[in-house]
Amino acid sequence: FVLAQTETYNVEITNTLGQVVKTFALNNLQPGIYNEAIKVTDLVAGIYNVKVSGKNTQGTEKLLIQK
Protein backbone atom coordinates (compact mmCIF):
# COMPACT_ATOMS: atom_id res chain seq x y z
CA PHE A 1 0.00 0.00 0.00
CA VAL A 2 1.02 3.60 -0.55
CA LEU A 3 0.89 6.18 2.24
CA ALA A 4 0.76 9.90 1.55
CA GLN A 5 1.51 11.37 4.98
CA THR A 6 3.09 10.52 8.32
CA GLU A 7 0.56 9.20 10.83
CA THR A 8 -0.72 6.09 12.57
CA TYR A 9 -2.81 3.80 10.40
CA ASN A 10 -5.30 1.21 11.61
CA VAL A 11 -5.68 -2.12 9.84
CA GLU A 12 -8.97 -4.00 10.13
CA ILE A 13 -9.61 -7.43 8.61
CA THR A 14 -13.24 -8.46 8.16
CA ASN A 15 -14.81 -11.67 6.90
CA THR A 16 -17.51 -11.85 4.22
CA LEU A 17 -20.19 -11.30 6.89
CA GLY A 18 -18.59 -7.98 7.86
CA GLN A 19 -17.37 -9.29 11.21
CA VAL A 20 -14.02 -7.90 12.37
CA VAL A 21 -11.62 -10.82 12.80
CA LYS A 22 -8.34 -8.97 13.35
CA THR A 23 -7.17 -5.41 14.01
CA PHE A 24 -3.82 -3.77 14.60
CA ALA A 25 -2.12 -0.39 14.26
CA LEU A 26 0.87 0.70 12.18
CA ASN A 27 2.38 3.53 14.20
CA ASN A 28 4.00 6.69 12.80
CA LEU A 29 4.63 5.48 9.27
CA GLN A 30 6.39 7.89 6.93
CA PRO A 31 5.07 8.55 3.39
CA GLY A 32 6.04 5.82 0.96
CA ILE A 33 5.27 2.38 -0.40
CA TYR A 34 4.83 -0.46 2.09
CA ASN A 35 4.47 -4.23 1.90
CA GLU A 36 3.25 -5.44 5.31
CA ALA A 37 3.21 -9.13 6.29
CA ILE A 38 0.09 -10.15 8.19
CA LYS A 39 0.03 -13.30 10.32
CA VAL A 40 -3.10 -15.19 9.22
CA THR A 41 -2.46 -18.64 10.68
CA ASP A 42 -5.35 -18.09 13.11
CA LEU A 43 -7.85 -17.37 10.29
CA VAL A 44 -9.73 -20.02 8.33
CA ALA A 45 -9.50 -20.28 4.55
CA GLY A 46 -11.73 -17.78 2.79
CA ILE A 47 -12.08 -14.27 1.41
CA TYR A 48 -11.48 -11.27 3.66
CA ASN A 49 -11.39 -7.48 3.31
CA VAL A 50 -8.36 -5.59 4.61
CA LYS A 51 -9.09 -1.94 5.39
CA VAL A 52 -6.21 0.46 6.06
CA SER A 53 -7.38 3.78 7.45
CA GLY A 54 -5.68 6.91 8.70
CA LYS A 55 -6.88 10.32 9.78
CA ASN A 56 -7.66 11.57 6.25
CA THR A 57 -7.43 8.47 4.08
CA GLN A 58 -8.55 4.88 3.77
CA GLY A 59 -8.36 1.99 1.34
CA THR A 60 -9.68 -1.57 1.13
CA GLU A 61 -8.23 -4.62 -0.57
CA LYS A 62 -9.42 -8.23 -0.80
CA LEU A 63 -7.39 -11.01 0.83
CA LEU A 64 -7.73 -14.67 -0.17
CA ILE A 65 -6.48 -17.26 2.32
CA GLN A 66 -5.99 -20.83 1.05
CA LYS A 67 -4.88 -23.63 3.33
Side-chain angles (χ1 to χ4, degrees), residues 14-67:
T14 56
N15 61 20
T16 54
L17 300 175
Q19 299 166 320
V20 177
V21 295
K22 185 175 277 235
T23 61
F24 58 93
L26 301 171
N27 296 314
N28 297 320
L29 293 181
Q30 301 295 317
I33 300 171
Y34 289 87
N35 183 5
E36 186 72 26
I38 301 172
K39 182 180 175 186
V40 295
T41 55
D42 56 332
L43 300 178
V44 298
I47 298 172
Y48 296 86
N49 289 311
V50 180
K51 178 180 171 184
V52 179
S53 58
K55 189 175 184 180
N56 297 314
T57 185
Q58 73 175 21
T60 304
E61 293 288 333
K62 288 195 187 260
L63 170 66
L64 173 64
I65 298 176
Q66 297 178 327
K67 293 187 177 186

